[in-house]
Amino acid sequence: MRRLVALLSLALTLVAPAARGSEPVDMLLVLAADVSRSVTEPKFKLQREGAAAAISHPDVVKAMTSGPNRRIAVCFVEWATVGQQAVVVDWTVIESDAAAHRFGDRLVEAPRSFIGSTSISSAIDFSVRQLERAPFTSERRVIDISGDGNNNSGRSVTDARDDALAKGITINALVILTPLAESFRPEHTNPPGGLEKYFQDNVIGGYGAFTVVAEGYETFGRALTKKLIQEIASLPRHRLAAAD
C-alpha cells in the first residue's frame, strides 16, 4: 500500500506541470532586449526602467486585461552574442495593475545579464524555446525584439526568422536609433538603408508584423508603450497615431 501511495504521488507530481500548460491566456509574449556592448550602462538603465514603466502603463495594462481571458503571459529575456541569452523575468501572468507593477519591479531589480556582440538570430532561437516551454497556451505567440544594431554574430538572422515563422510565431521589433556622431561602429548601428529597414527586411515577420522606432534610449519607454498597445490589442495604426 505504501508503495502504491508513493507511485500515485509521483504520478501526480509529473502530471501537474502538463495540466498547468492547458491554462489559456490571450497572448504569449517574449520581450527580448539587446544588451550587447553598444548598450552602455546609461543606455541599459534607460532601457530597463523604460521597459518596467511601459509594462505597468495604465493603457498597456488595459490592453492586457481586455481580451477574452483578461490576461496575457510575459517573459523578459536579454541577449547579446551567441550563447549569451538569459531569462530575466520568467513567464508571468499579468491580469491586473498590481501584477504588472510586480513584474516591472522584478525587472528593475535584476542585474544586467551580458555584454557582447549582437546575435539577433540567437535571440530569436532562444525566444522560440521560451515560447515552446511556456506553462500556458495561446493562439497568439509573439517575440518582441528590441535592438540598436544589425546581426553580427551567429547564424543567418533570416534563417532564424523563417524557422520561427514556420511555427506560427510573429516577430515584431523596436528599433533603437543611434546618431552617427555617437556610433563607434556606424556599419553596425547605421547599416545601408537605415536600421529600421534592416529590421523590416530581415527580422520581423508573421501576421501583422511591424516595427516601432525609438529615436534613442531616452524615448525607449514611450516607444515600447506604443508598441505593446499595438501588439496586445492589435489597434489600427491610425488610432495609435491619434494617441501619440
Side-chain angles (χ1 to χ4, degrees), residues 100-158:
H101 277 87
R102 285 195 297 270
F103 189 98
D105 290 344
R106 291 170 62 193
L107 188 56
V108 170
E109 293 167 1
R112 179 171 181 157
S113 302
F114 309 107
I115 297 176
S117 297
T118 304
S119 181
I120 301 173
S121 55
S122 295
I124 292 172
D125 292 339
F126 184 79
S127 297
V128 168
R129 292 196 293 274
Q130 305 320 304
L131 287 167
E132 291 176 338
R133 71 169 186 85
F136 309 100
T137 59
S138 177
E139 293 182 358
R140 300 180 66 192
R141 299 188 298 163
V142 178
I143 297 171
D144 183 337
I145 296 279
S146 61
D148 68 357
N150 57 13
N151 191 74
N152 61 14
S153 174
R155 72 171 177 142
S156 163
V157 66
T158 54

Side-chain angles (χ1 to χ4, degrees), residues 15-87:
V15 168
R20 193 173 181 228
S22 65
E23 296 180 19
V25 293
D26 293 313
M27 173 185 283
L28 291 172
L29 176 63
V30 177
L31 297 172
D34 180 1
V35 289
S36 58
R37 63 174 58 95
S38 59
V39 183
T40 62
E41 282 306 308
K43 290 179 178 179
F44 171 75
K45 184 177 180 182
L46 288 169
Q47 179 173 258
R48 274 284 187 88
E49 292 176 348
I55 289 168
S56 58
H57 190 283
D59 291 342
V60 174
V61 175
K62 182 179 179 181
M64 290 176 172
T65 57
S66 294
N69 295 295
R70 306 289 182 184
R71 61 183 189 164
I72 74 165
V74 183
C75 176
F76 193 98
V77 308
E78 288 180 340
W79 56 273
T81 193
V82 176
Q84 291 187 336
Q85 302 86 35
V87 174

